[in-house]
Structures are given as C-alpha cells and as structure tokens.
C-alpha cells in the first residue's frame, strides 16, 4: 500500500507517494527530496536543528509525521533566499557572527523567521532568548544569534515603513 | 519505530470506530507519541490521526460563562487567545512555560493531557518499568534520579506527570470531555490521571478506544483572573520540565481570603490539587503566615521517593512564593520568562 501526499515545498507543489507511513517530515525532506538544510540533531524534538515552517509556523520536522501535514506549505532554509539575494535573517546571521560550526544554523535561521513573524518578542533580548530556547547551539553563539534577530527585525520594520 | 497502519478519518464516528481496533492509538501532533515510538516505548499497530476531525480546534465561550477548549487546539494558539489571556492568565503562563515555541506550535490540548511521564527509566527500554511492562519492577526506585514523586507514589512507580498546562487546569476545576465507543462522558481533570498504586500502566481514566474531545472550564474559573499565577522551578531557565511547579489563585476582600485555589506539578503522577491547603486559606487573613500554613498543609503527606528531601523544601518555598505573587496581582502581560522565579524585570500588575 502507498500513501498519497501533497505538499507545497518552498513554493513548489509536489505530489508524492509514500511507501511507508513512518516517514517523518524531516526524513522526507532530507532523504527523499534531498533538501538537507534542515538537520537531524537529536531526532527527538530537543535541539531544534530540524526546524521548518509548516503553513508559516515553526515546528520540529523530526517529530512531525509527513502524512499528518498532507496539504501543507513547508518552508525550509533552502526556500528563504530569493535567487542570489539572502533573506534578511540570513544576512543578519552573517553580519553578527551568529554561528561557529554551522550545524544548528539552518534551524536557528528558520526559527528566527518564525519568531519574527509571530511578532511577540519585540526588541526585548530576554523575550528573544526565551522565544529561541527551542534551538540549542553547542558552540554557544547565542549572543550573536540574539543580535542577529534584533537586527533582522529592525531591517524588516524599516522595510515596512518604506513600503507603507 | 514499529510498522503501523495510518488512517486519517474525517469524522468522529469514523475515528472512534478505527480507535476501537486492538493496538490502535490516536495521533495528534505526535510530539510525545512519535518520540516514544522511536524509542520503542510505544508500539501502536494502528495510528488514527485525529488532527483533521471537524470542530475540535475551537475555543468557545458557552452561554453559562464556561469556556470549552477543543482537544485539537494548538498550545500556542491557546496561549495567544485574547479570552484565555484575559480570564485564565495562569493557564496561558503555564503553557508558555512549557516546551519550546516549535513544540507549542504543534502540540495540542488533548495531547498535553495524554502525554506520558518523562521518567528516564520509563523511556529507557533496558530498565525495568511497571508503567511500561506491568510486573517488570521499577528501576527508578533507588535509582539516580532524586527528582521523582513526593506525593501519591507507590513502591510500583514513583514517576511524575510532566504537564505544566494540567496544573492550573486542576486548580480551575476543569472538566475533560470524552467520546468513546460507549458514548460521551465527562471526568474532572483531577480524576483524569491515575495515581500508580499497583497498576501504574493504567495511567488515565480513558477506557480503550476513548478519545479526549475538549476541556471545559466552569464559569467560576474566570473569577480569579486578577490574582492568578503559575511558577515553575526547573534545572535551566527555559525549555525544561518542572522539578516543582505551582498554580495559585486567590479571591479576597478587605484583607481576608474568600477563596483560594492551589495545585502542584512535578510532584506526583497527576497534577496535584491541594484541597486541604485551600480549606485552610479560605477565610484566613491574606499574608505570608496563611501562605506558610497552607504550604505545610499541602505537603503534610509528602515523602521523598528517592532521597529527594530537597524537593519537598523546594515545593514548600514555591507554594509560598506563588501565593505571594498571586496576592500581589496578575501581571498585565505574561513575563518575558514565563513562570520563572528568576524573572529579572518587574512587570506592571494591572491585569484588567
């Protein structure tokens, strides 16, 4: 038996068939669609390296059964840039040294995009740290990560003022 | 994980029919169930995905002033709901003190009730566990973890229920609405999770095939909104389960307590409603003396399961602290570090 599955991944609609219902969203992305940006760290929802957006909300792809999000729009770190132009959060991570080894970085960046979209942390570093606590960085780049989130948020606000 | 058949029913009737299959389990977000399946702790032969069932994702205000929260409402949506924030602020604070933003975006109200203990012996297939394999014994007894239960445990099981959300629910007299093969019924939240006794594997009031469909908060639950807090002590500032947590709610007038609600998390296999302490508080003069007496009453029967005397003292102090904070008033906005005793900033206390 195979299971039909339709997902819009980084803006492209895909009709898939799964031969096994055990496939998580993370394994689907990495092993079958070769989108290896989302990382398999703990595979238990404890580290956040697998963070992706499902219908605009950040979730742990490792604890999401692919079949259960049938019909959803999924955004991975590969879907953030527009051509050669990086997403403002990606630019801010580079400018603020928000990583060292880079393993957690795709999850951090996607999580930060989700956090900014939620619009609840404001410019309070404590609220940003709390809002990003689902993403562990064992290099300890947290200071740069908070700076990057603040900068990306400010850039977005400035952009919105320009277009308003 | 084991192989399973996957079904995504479109109606409750269809879900209940599939759920009656031997070896079936209901799947919501799966943030706990899939983890347990990867570990081999849970091995359902059939998964019945209930996330698309109609009508279970709503928060409704009922004509009598009660609030019904559908079992498929996501934690982050609940904590963001204006009515919940206004009327049950400790509930929102407890949700935001739990897990991470990613998990709260996925995890559901029903799943929160159904989550299993995070006892490391329960999760470790190499350890004996009566909760996982009845009659196998309990390696947690005498084990390395001193953070086990202090109330309501037995020699068969000393695990705790990990939920934050269920602690204020217990204090607010929440009712669990259940659908099943034999029809619909209701169970008080405080009776939903079973104490272990000699049958720790039977951890909830649900019969095989039954499904949680909603939580209902009775009209009186909104009466504590100006003096309601949830506090949680954990091993790190964020994203950790409670060592001890406390939900405290007060109604008072002219310095005398009219009614108090008190419940503890992380101390027993169920969210622990401290009814003796509540009885002591009713009619008492508002202040530290009454709160100290209430804490002693709440913990009168506490015994450390594993040499964890520190947890009793931690619970005692956190009860007093949370009652003091509840008396001071609900913050106008959920603090930056929800439920944290280490919150740095003074929040304004003008909750409408």
């Amino acid at each position: 038996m195979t299971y039909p599955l339709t997902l819009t991944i980084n803006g492209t609609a895909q009709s898939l068939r799964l031969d096994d219902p055990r496939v998580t969203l993370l394994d689907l992305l990495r092993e079958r669609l070769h989108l290896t940006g989302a990382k398999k760290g703990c595979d238990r929802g404890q580290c956040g390296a697998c963070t992706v957006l499902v219908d605009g909300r950040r979730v742990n792809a490792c604890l999401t059964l692919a079949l259960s999000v049938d019909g959803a729009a999924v955004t991975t770190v590969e879907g953030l840039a527009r051509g050669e132009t990086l997403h403002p959060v990606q630019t801010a991570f580079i400018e603020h040294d928000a990583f060292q080894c880079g393993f957690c970085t795709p999850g951090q960046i996607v999580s930060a995009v989700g956090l900014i979209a939620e619009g609840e942390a404001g410019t309070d570093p404590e609220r940003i740290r709390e809002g990003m606590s689902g993403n562990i960085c064992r290099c300890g780049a947290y200071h740069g990560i908070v700076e990057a989130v603040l900068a990306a948020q400010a850039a977005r606000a400035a952009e919105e003022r320009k277009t308003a | 994980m084991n192989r399973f058949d996957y079904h995504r029913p479109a109606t409750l009737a269809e879900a209940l029919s599939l759920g009656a299959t031997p070896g079936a389990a209901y799947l919501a977000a799966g943030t706990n169930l899939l983890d347990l399946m990867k570990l081999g702790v849970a091995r359902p032969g059939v998964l019945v995905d209930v996330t698309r069932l109609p009508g279970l994702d709503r928060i409704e205000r009922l004509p009598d002033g009660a609030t019904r929260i559908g079992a498929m409402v996501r934690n982050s949506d609940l904590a963001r709901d204006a009515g919940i924030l206004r009327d049950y602020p400790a509930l929102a604070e407890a949700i935001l003190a739990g897990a991470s933003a990613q998990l709260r975006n996925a995890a559901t109200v029903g799943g929160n009730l159904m989550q299993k203990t995070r006892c490391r012996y329960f999760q470790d297939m190499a350890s004996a566990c009566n909760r996982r394999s009845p009659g196998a014994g309990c390696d947690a007894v005498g084990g390395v973890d001193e953070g086990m239960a202090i109330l309501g445990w037995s020699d068969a099981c000393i695990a705790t229920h990990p939920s934050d959300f269920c602690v204020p629910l217990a204090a607010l007299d929440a009712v669990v609405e259940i659908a099943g093969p034999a029809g619909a019924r209701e169970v008080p939240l405080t009776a939903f999770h079973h104490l272990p006794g000699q049958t720790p594997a039977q951890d909830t009031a649900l019969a095989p095939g039954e499904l949680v469909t909603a939580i209902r908060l009775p009209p009186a639950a909104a009466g504590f909104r100006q003096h309601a807090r949830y506090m949680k002590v954990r091993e790190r500032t964020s994203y950790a389960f409670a060592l001890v947590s406390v939900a405290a709610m007060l109604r008072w007038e002219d310095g005398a307590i009219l009614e108090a609600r008190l419940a503890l998390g992380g101390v027993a296999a169920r969210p622990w409603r401290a009814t003796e302490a509540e009885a002591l508080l009713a009619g008492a003069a508002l202040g530290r003396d009454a709160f100290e007496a209430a804490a002693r009453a709440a913990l009168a029967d506490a015994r450390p399961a594993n040499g964890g005397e520190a947890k009793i003292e931690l619970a005692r102090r956190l009860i007093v602290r949370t009652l003091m904070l509840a008396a001071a008033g609900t913050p106008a906005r959920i603090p930056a570090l929800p439920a944290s005793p280490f919150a740095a900033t003074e929040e304004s206390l003008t909750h409408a």
Side-chain angles (χ1 to χ4, degrees), chain A residues 76-114:
Chain A
T76 70
V77 72
E78 289 94 338
L80 293 179
R82 291 286 163 264
E84 293 300 305
T85 308
L86 291 179
H87 187 282
V89 173
Q90 293 173 307
T91 306
F93 265 65
I94 294 169
E95 285 176 355
H96 292 271
D97 272 339
F99 50 87
Q100 185 176 313
C101 83
F103 185 83
C104 74
T105 309
Q108 298 278 2
I109 287 174
V110 174
S111 188
V113 171

Side-chain angles (χ1 to χ4, degrees), chain B residues 84-94 168 171-172 221-231 246-252 261 322-332 334-335 349 351:
Chain B
I84 297 292
L85 281 164
R86 182 188 66 235
D87 291 339
Y88 320 106
L91 203 58
E93 187 164 19
L172 291 169
F224 299 94
R225 64 187 185 195
Q226 289 178 311
H227 295 280
R229 285 310 296 270
Y230 180 74
M231 297 296 281
V246 176
M249 294 139 199
L250 295 166
R251 287 195 304 115
W252 52 278
R261 300 285 181 91
T322 312
L323 282 164
M324 294 290 285
L325 287 165
T330 306
I334 304 264
L349 296 175
H351 186 79

Side-chain angles (χ1 to χ4, degrees), chain B residues 20-341:
Chain B
T21 319
Y26 293 113
L27 172 75
T31 54
N32 186 214
L33 180 58
L34 287 180
D35 186 26
L36 292 174
M37 289 170 69
K38 290 181 186 185
L39 295 171
V41 173
R43 304 176 64 83
V46 178
L47 277 190
V48 184
D49 185 339
V50 293
T51 54
R52 313 289 175 102
L53 295 184
L56 298 190
D57 60 351
R58 292 200 297 258
I59 303 169
E60 304 164 89
R61 182 56 66 105
L62 305 178
D64 66 352
T67 297
R68 177 186 284 131
I69 306 164
M72 290 302 113
V73 173
R74 310 283 170 164
N75 284 357
S76 54
D77 293 328
L78 185 61
R80 215 169 264 153
D81 181 83
I84 297 292
L85 281 164
R86 182 188 66 235
D87 291 339
Y88 320 106
L91 203 58
E93 187 164 19
I95 292 166
L96 294 173
S100 65
Q102 288 95 321
L103 289 166
R104 292 192 297 270
N105 275 341
T108 63
V109 161
N112 192 296
L113 263 64
M114 293 305 295
Q115 68 180 309
K116 300 293 183 183
T117 180
R118 292 326 195 270
C119 174
R120 59 193 77 184
Y121 298 92
F122 173 77
Q123 295 195 343
D124 172 24
M125 291 299 283
S127 293
C129 175
N130 288 319
R131 190 172 280 266
R132 177 164 28 81
S133 316
C138 172
D139 280 349
V141 173
V144 296
D145 192 341
E146 296 194 346
M148 307 299 292
I150 56 173
L151 287 162
W153 52 273
S154 73
D155 57 358
C157 181
I158 59 175
T160 61
H161 192 260
S163 172
D164 292 297
F165 176 58
C166 288
V167 181
L169 282 181
L172 291 169
D173 277 337
V175 174
V176 185
E177 298 184 1
I178 296 165
R185 65 188 183 107
E186 300 182 350
V187 176
L189 188 280
T190 48
F192 184 79
H193 300 98
H194 286 179
L195 293 178
Q198 294 307 306
T199 54
Q202 181 57 47
D203 54 353
T204 73
L206 289 190
E210 284 192 318
L211 174 70
V212 174
T213 52
I215 299 283
R216 204 174 64 247
L217 295 165
F224 299 94
R225 64 187 185 195
Q226 289 178 311
H227 295 280
R229 285 310 296 270
Y230 180 74
M231 297 296 281
K232 173 178 179 181
V233 175
R234 42 195 148 168
E235 287 179 337
R236 58 187 186 198
T237 308
S238 179
Y239 198 14
F241 290 100
L243 288 169
V244 178
S245 68
V246 176
M249 294 139 199
L250 295 166
R251 287 195 304 115
W252 52 278
E253 210 172 76
D254 300 331
I257 298 168
L258 299 171
E259 188 181 5
R261 300 285 181 91
L262 189 67
L264 283 69
V267 298
R270 66 161 57 134
W272 192 267
R273 179 84 178 263
T275 46
E276 297 85 355
E278 291 178 4
L280 265 184
L281 287 166
L286 188 77
R288 182 176 280 275
D289 288 350
F291 300 160
E292 297 270 6
R296 283 193 298 275
L299 298 165
D301 296 330
R303 291 179 298 135
N306 245 3
E309 287 87 355
K311 195 162 183 174
I312 299 177
E313 178 61 14
L314 204 55
R316 193 189 66 75
R317 294 187 194 193
L318 194 64
I319 290 169
V320 176
R321 175 88 175 264
T322 312
L323 282 164
M324 294 290 285
L325 287 165
T330 306
R333 185 183 179 198
I334 304 264
L337 296 178
S340 172

Side-chain angles (χ1 to χ4, degrees), chain A residues 1 3-5 19-24 43-48 51 57-60 62-72 107 111 118 120-122 124 126-127 129-131 133-136 138, chain B residues 1-6 8 27-32 34-35 38-39 47 49 51-52 74 76-77 80 96-97 99-106 123 236-239 333-338 342 344 347:
Chain A
M1 178 175 184
Y3 297 83
L5 172 64
D19 52 358
D20 189 328
R22 293 178 293 181
V23 178
T24 62
D43 206 26
R44 296 193 61 190
Q46 297 180 350
C47 75
T51 302
R57 296 156 64 107
R58 47 186 171 148
V59 299
N60 299 114
C62 75
L63 287 184
T64 305
L65 214 54
L67 285 171
S68 70
V69 292
D70 185 18
S111 188
E118 288 157 19
E120 290 160 346
D124 180 352
E126 192 83 300
R127 287 186 189 270
R129 279 192 290 273
E130 169 64 23
S133 73
N135 293 83
I136 310 291
R138 288 300 73 158
Chain B
M1 64 178 94
N2 63 292
R3 289 191 173 275
F4 55 82
D5 292 329
Y6 172 87
R8 193 193 305 135
L27 172 75
T31 54
N32 186 214
L34 287 180
D35 186 26
K38 290 181 186 185
L39 295 171
L47 277 190
D49 185 339
T51 54
R52 313 289 175 102
R74 310 283 170 164
S76 54
D77 293 328
R80 215 169 264 153
L96 294 173
S100 65
Q102 288 95 321
L103 289 166
R104 292 192 297 270
N105 275 341
Q123 295 195 343
R236 58 187 186 198
T237 308
S238 179
Y239 198 14
R333 185 183 179 198
I334 304 264
L337 296 178
F342 306 109
E347 305 283 335

